[in-house]
Amino acid sequence: MKPFLFVLLAVPTLLFAHPPTNAPNGLLYADRVPAPYRAAFVAQVTEIAGRLQVKPEWLMVVMCFETAGTFRANIKNPYSGAVGLIQFTKYGIRRLDTTVGKLGRMDAIEQLVWVERYFAPYAGQMHSVYDCYIVVFAPAYLGKPDRQVLYRADGPTALDRRRYRYNKTLDTNRDGLITIADVKSQIRRLVPSTI
């Protein structure tokens, strides 16, 4: 089995084996952020969330999911080349005037600046943790209904089919479609009822 497939298959176990917990300051998943930069990371996420008009817990859920619970800025998907706290892709960062390589060499605190820049155009438009995740996963679909198809196994373009293959673990009913509802059902496993 290829290493990335192992990570994808292991993500549910790694993330969901232990219920979400709050650090002493109350921020969800803060206890999973590596101790050497935890305090600065949590403080910066809280500030960024205020500017983006979202709950800081929403950003923490997204980053927890995208980093398989590690909160490491250098975590990389060997197939798509996505890297970092929100798995930046070369397509997703075209407007940011940086590269995936540069982002992957940053520490987590430095990379949070780019997380905010990525989310900034959507400030005030994200009304749930699911909206925050859709902005990372497929931003063109922000605000669309749950039945909206994002990617298809038999999609009309090679890119569409490749995006489906890279994310096929989200297609839990194995119908060859990844919908917003499919994405929400995976993220929901990380979301306690209190946020």
Side-chain angles (χ1 to χ4, degrees):
M1 183 178 300
K2 295 186 178 181
F4 184 68
L5 279 179
F6 172 75
V7 170
L8 283 178
L9 296 173
V11 165
T13 304
L14 294 171
L15 294 179
F16 311 124
H18 305 287
T21 57
N22 292 345
N25 68 357
L27 188 56
L28 184 67
Y29 295 117
D31 62 326
R32 295 188 182 189
V33 176
Y37 54 87
R38 181 179 300 144
F41 189 91
V42 166
Q44 193 165 339
V45 167
T46 303
E47 290 173 17
I48 289 168
R51 291 189 290 269
L52 294 175
Q53 301 168 47
V54 299
K55 291 182 178 182
E57 289 83 3
W58 298 353
L59 297 176
M60 293 295 284
V61 166
V62 170
M63 291 184 286
C64 187
F65 188 80
E66 289 297 296
T67 64
T70 68
F71 289 91
R72 287 186 10 240
N74 65 346
I75 194 164
K76 184 175 183 178
N77 178 318
Y79 297 103
S80 69
V83 69
L85 297 170
I86 60 171
Q87 289 295 281
F88 293 101
T89 65
K90 67 180 181 179
Y91 300 109
I93 63 169
R94 284 179 290 198
R95 64 178 166 76
L96 295 182
D97 193 32
T98 191
T99 67
V100 171
K102 287 179 186 175
L103 288 164
R105 289 187 296 275
M106 293 178 186
D107 66 38
I109 304 303
E110 293 169 321
Q111 200 178 95
L112 278 173
V113 171
W114 294 92
V115 168
E116 181 175 9
R117 288 180 185 172
Y118 178 87
F119 277 107
Y122 307 97
Q125 299 173 54
M126 297 171 286
H127 306 293
S128 70
V129 64
Y130 307 108
D131 286 349
C132 284
Y133 190 73
I134 289 297
V135 165
V136 169
F137 186 72
Y141 297 100
L142 178 63
K144 301 290 184 191
D146 285 359
R147 68 183 178 281
Q148 175 67 54
V149 175
L150 306 174
Y151 306 123
R152 315 173 62 91
D154 65 348
T157 68
L159 180 60
D160 189 50
R161 293 186 297 273
R162 188 168 55 246
R163 286 178 173 163
Y164 175 86
R165 278 193 320 274
Y166 290 158
N167 297 287
K168 123 185 210 181
T169 58
L170 297 175
D171 182 9
T172 54
N173 65 359
R174 302 293 182 243
D175 63 358
L177 305 173
I178 297 174
T179 64
I180 288 180
D182 290 328
V183 173
K184 284 183 175 181
S185 73
Q186 291 296 317
I187 298 301
R188 189 172 294 117
R189 297 166 71 182
L190 285 172
V191 181
S193 59
T194 56
I195 68 164

